[in-house]
Amino acid sequence: MPDRIACCVPFCRRTCRNDSGFAEWICGKHWALVSKTTKRRRRLADRARERANRRFEQQYRDQDGCTESQLNRALAATDLSAALWRRCKREAIERAMGL
């Protein structure tokens, strides 16, 4: 894994240390360009993803298996969180480029 990771916005030269193993990152300058509504939705989706994954793992440990509905909830929450991250990225890039 690289020691440093660059901002997702093209031509931005900012980097940060990649201790957490992230694949992508948006610097503070460009993160401020993302609307508060989008950030709030992403934060809620991340919490839902974490909660669904915890419930799935707990149910898996307790029953030596899991129900399909709990697995589907965990996968849907992960997909929503990823989609909102892509939206944040798109907003940051568009606003940085003046679109």
Side-chain angles (χ1 to χ4, degrees), residues 19-88:
D19 292 337
S20 301
F22 292 120
E24 297 176 316
W25 172 73
I26 300 174
C27 69
K29 176 182 173 183
H30 293 114
W31 185 248
L33 299 176
V34 178
S35 70
K36 289 181 181 182
T37 304
T38 304
K39 287 188 229 182
R40 184 177 59 243
R41 287 179 182 163
R42 180 177 174 270
R43 190 171 49 247
L44 289 172
D46 283 345
R47 281 193 225 153
R49 177 184 48 86
E50 290 170 6
R51 186 173 53 245
N53 286 336
R54 275 195 313 268
R55 287 179 181 171
F56 171 74
E57 289 171 5
Q58 183 64 38
Q59 189 175 20
Y60 190 79
R61 274 188 247 120
D62 290 347
Q63 297 180 358
D64 294 328
C66 64
T67 63
E68 189 173 331
S69 65
Q70 188 62 39
L71 175 61
N72 289 340
R73 274 190 225 124
L75 292 174
T78 302
D79 291 344
L80 178 62
S81 179
L84 284 166
W85 170 252
R86 288 190 301 271
R87 184 174 178 164
C88 288

